[in-house]
Amino acid sequence: HGSLFACWVHERKHKSIRRYANPVQNTRGYDHTVLAEVTSHHIAALRAPHALRFQRGLVYPRKPPARVQSVIAEALGLDDPSLVEGTCIESRHNDFETCRKRDVVVVKVSSNGWVVGEVWMHLCICSTHVSLVSTWTLKQMSSETRSAEWIVRDHPELFATSDIITSLIWTPLGHDAVRTLVPSDLF
């Protein structure tokens, strides 16, 4: 089949189905049982008080411990560790999408410019939602296959979470290289 692309969004959905599919012993009504359990799980999740909030920013933020606040503040060059108000692994960057830690994203850097990188962390600093993204270097881009190859490097930068355009489907090409599919509107 060639190379498989990593698509963590689908993997996260696959986990929720496996949660109910694996323990089923009676295979006579297997499909019905799994569908009923997954549907019940989704209905319960939709009943949560904040389930249908589509505000941009951190999803389930937590206040980091004082030691973690100090480390983050020092790394970012902040004088006061209390400026780091919250951290989380998932953030909503538009009305329809969220991205998580370790996702590969496209970030808008100017009116018609963008960069690609891996999300390391989502933060709330001084009531501003930002994402720490390790940006990568473009090696080559193909308009025929709508893909790009990137050199992976540890080069973390802070971006406004709202500047994240979308998450990308990607596959590793070796130790320090990655191939991504690139949405057609970015060509």
Side-chain angles (χ1 to χ4, degrees):
H1 293 289
S3 61
L4 294 174
F5 286 92
C7 189
W8 298 115
V9 174
H10 292 117
E11 184 62 27
R12 286 192 290 269
K13 290 294 183 187
H14 181 67
K15 277 178 143 178
S16 64
I17 292 170
R18 262 194 352 235
R19 168 191 277 171
Y20 301 108
N22 287 349
V24 174
Q25 299 293 320
N26 182 2
T27 58
R28 180 171 285 177
Y30 184 80
D31 294 344
H32 183 272
T33 302
V34 172
L35 184 60
E37 291 297 327
V38 170
T39 302
S40 296
H41 179 91
H42 283 296
I43 290 171
L46 288 171
R47 286 187 176 163
H50 52 278
L52 296 175
R53 285 185 22 208
F54 296 104
Q55 294 173 317
R56 294 177 182 181
L58 307 183
V59 177
Y60 305 121
R62 293 184 180 190
K63 183 173 174 126
R67 188 175 68 82
V68 174
Q69 274 182 318
S70 297
V71 169
I72 293 171
E74 183 180 328
L76 297 177
L78 302 173
D79 296 332
D80 183 9
S82 67
L83 295 175
V84 181
E85 300 166 350
T87 64
C88 69
I89 62 169
E90 185 174 12
S91 185
R92 177 171 295 284
H93 55 274
N94 66 39
D95 292 343
F96 306 105
E97 284 184 89
T98 64
C99 66
R100 297 177 73 123
K101 176 181 175 182
R102 309 256 318 135
D103 281 353
V104 175
V105 295
V106 179
V107 183
K108 181 173 70 173
V109 292
S110 65
S111 61
N112 58 350
W114 47 273
V115 295
V116 169
E118 178 185 359
V119 175
W120 282 6
M121 179 185 295
H122 299 289
L123 304 156
C124 183
I125 301 174
C126 299
S127 301
T128 304
H129 299 277
V130 294
S131 297
L132 187 63
V133 178
S134 177
T135 58
W136 297 343
T137 304
L138 178 63
K139 186 175 177 183
Q140 68 181 15
M141 190 176 298
S142 169
S143 58
E144 291 175 7
T145 61
R146 302 258 190 234
S147 67
E149 290 184 19
W150 306 88
I151 297 171
V152 177
R153 61 188 179 125
D154 290 341
H155 188 263
E157 295 182 49
L158 279 179
F159 296 99
T161 301
S162 59
D163 286 341
I164 295 175
I165 298 171
T166 191
S167 297
L168 297 177
I169 297 172
W170 62 278
T171 188
L173 295 176
H175 175 66
D176 63 344
V178 165
R179 178 178 291 130
T180 64
L181 295 180
V182 181
S184 59
D185 57 336
L186 295 179
F187 272 95

